Amino acid sequence: MSEARSPGASSPVPPQRRSRRRLLIAGAVAAAALAVGSGTAYFVHDAKDASRDGSAVLGLVLPDLHGQQQALAQWRGKVLVVNFWATWCAPCREEMPEFVAVQARDGPKGVQFVGIAVDDPDKVRTFAQEVKLNYPALIGGYGAIELSKTLGNELAALPFTIVVDRQGRVAHTQLGPLKRATLDGLLARLLPQA
Amino acid sequence: MRSLLPLLAIVFATAHAEGIASLEPKLLPPERAFHLSARALDASTIEARFDVADGYYLYRDKMQFTTDPVPAAKLDLPPGKPKHDAFFGDVETYRGEVVVRVPLAQAAAGKTITLHANSQGCADVGVCYPPNAQQLTLAIPAGGKPGPFVEAGRKGLFQ
């Protein structure tokens, strides 16, 4: 199912092939449903459809470190990398310097990272200074874990990252560290060619 | 038809489990990764126990136990394994079996005690679970002998 969540993860997919791919996925879902019992088709289907549409992510509004409400919709049209993290999550902290580097490199090309911290503002502020965070750190508090569950983070663990493409579709969801090679591959596919 | 029901139940349960597992096949839900149980050791001591699954660990400084209506006395957590954390400095972690004696402030023979446990841990594959609050209810035996182990029910995240 992780493939279904990020169709075309390996190569650029023109729109006409995307619909064919969708058919293929639908066929695979139908076959799986036949194999294990028709009642399961809804479960698989719901998960896939919910993950393709990025409007739930783009609809989020959360306060930043200055207490200003920030709507993720302001970055619609960019490749948006939304990372749920916390200072109490060591793997989250370890991958963030990479995100800072990629934001600096690809920000001008249309990438926008946004961190949603499942944490207290004070700890976030300290860590943001430490890694010279160059993208918004929004404060979700512990409630942000529940929020991430509605976006597909079924195990409610961190880090959890969602990549939304320029058309507002979820291109990739990642539980656990987002490897630099995966991130670079995604951005090469999702950003306009120079 | 009736004979089909158990089979269907298995099929549905399997399909559901696969739906979740396929997202990240290696990961357990926190209550299975960090399984909590407890028993009354005697009238004034509760033994709490975390069975941490292979590949997972708990943070010692995030582990807390409280009891009611009889409060817990000061407890000593067993030493953990030292681990250096770049942000938090030197911390200690638990793997495998963690047994903690929770002394009650006074004897509670014949009473019902609720044990509240807070814990937080991670998996080696590179994910962490948020702080988890669990509780379980123990009947403290009147005779002073150890009671049976009780499994934790899930109270939910973040009290």
Side-chain angles (χ1 to χ4, degrees):
Chain A
M1 202 164 77
S2 56
E3 272 301 300
R5 280 170 179 276
S6 52
S10 53
S11 62
V13 184
Q16 66 272 22
R17 279 190 45 210
R18 199 172 275 132
S19 61
R20 213 179 113 205
R21 216 174 249 250
R22 210 174 224 180
L23 269 179
L24 282 176
I25 291 166
V29 168
L34 276 177
V36 294
S38 57
T40 60
Y42 287 103
F43 180 82
V44 178
H45 228 82
D46 285 349
K48 178 175 73 71
D49 288 346
S51 69
R52 286 183 64 85
D53 177 9
S55 56
V57 183
L58 289 166
L60 296 178
V61 181
L62 290 159
D64 63 17
L65 279 172
H66 309 290
Q68 301 288 320
Q69 295 291 329
Q70 299 291 344
L72 270 67
Q74 69 188 281
W75 296 294
R76 185 184 288 278
K78 296 195 176 235
V79 175
L80 189 59
V81 184
V82 180
N83 171 237
F84 287 83
W85 71 286
T87 59
W88 47 259
C89 163
C92 302
R93 288 185 275 114
E94 279 160 20
E95 70 176 347
M96 285 171 69
E98 293 275 358
F99 292 170
V100 169
V102 175
Q103 177 65 56
R105 185 193 68 187
D106 290 345
K109 296 183 207 162
V111 171
Q112 183 61 57
F113 282 76
V114 175
I116 298 180
V118 184
D119 215 328
D120 307 322
D122 288 348
K123 287 180 183 147
V124 172
R125 200 169 284 118
T126 304
F127 184 69
Q129 283 163 2
E130 201 168 286
V131 295
K132 298 185 170 62
L133 204 68
N134 55 356
Y135 57 85
L138 307 186
I139 307 299
Y142 286 112
I145 272 285
E146 292 302 316
L147 183 66
S148 76
K149 279 169 88 170
T150 68
L151 301 174
N153 185 11
E154 285 144 17
L155 279 170
L158 297 179
F160 178 69
T161 305
I162 305 175
V163 181
V164 179
D165 71 12
R166 294 187 297 145
Q167 287 74 37
R169 290 172 306 219
V170 173
H172 189 84
T173 59
Q174 179 81 43
L175 178 59
L178 181 53
K179 291 193 177 72
R180 179 63 177 265
T182 308
L183 180 58
D184 282 348
L186 272 165
L187 296 180
R189 177 164 70 82
L190 297 175
L191 285 172
Q193 301 303 306
Chain B
M1 184 61 205
R2 184 172 286 181
S3 65
L4 269 178
L5 283 177
L7 177 65
L8 279 176
I10 291 167
V11 162
F12 276 74
T14 309
H16 186 71
E18 276 171 6
I20 291 167
S22 59
L23 182 65
E24 187 50 76
K26 292 181 196 116
L27 284 172
L28 297 172
E31 61 275 15
R32 277 175 59 201
F34 314 109
H35 181 256
L36 172 66
S37 58
R39 63 173 172 168
L41 264 194
D42 55 47
S44 56
T45 315
I46 288 170
E47 182 184 270
R49 204 180 152 122
F50 274 105
D51 288 301
V52 181
D54 281 351
Y56 296 78
Y57 57 92
L58 286 170
Y59 285 103
R60 183 175 187 263
D61 64 350
K62 300 286 168 61
M63 192 175 283
Q64 292 167 337
F65 295 95
T66 57
T67 54
D68 65 57
V70 177
K74 190 179 178 303
L75 66 89
D76 293 314
L77 289 170
K81 188 171 169 251
K83 181 185 171 95
H84 185 73
D85 183 285
F87 190 64
F88 291 110
D90 292 322
V91 295
E92 291 179 41
T93 58
Y94 294 125
R95 290 175 186 267
E97 187 181 82
V98 191
V99 180
V100 181
R101 284 189 175 209
V102 182
L104 299 175
Q106 68 237 23
K111 290 187 179 163
T112 299
I113 299 289
T114 303
L115 175 74
H116 303 268
N118 289 317
S119 64
Q120 197 255 309
C122 303
D124 290 331
V125 293
V127 305
C128 290
Y129 298 86
N132 194 17
Q134 291 165 288
Q135 66 173 358
L136 47 79
T137 304
L138 296 165
I140 309 296
K145 284 199 288 188
F149 273 104
V150 174
E151 315 269 312
R154 197 164 173 218
K155 191 176 174 184
L157 305 169
F158 321 119
Q159 299 310 297

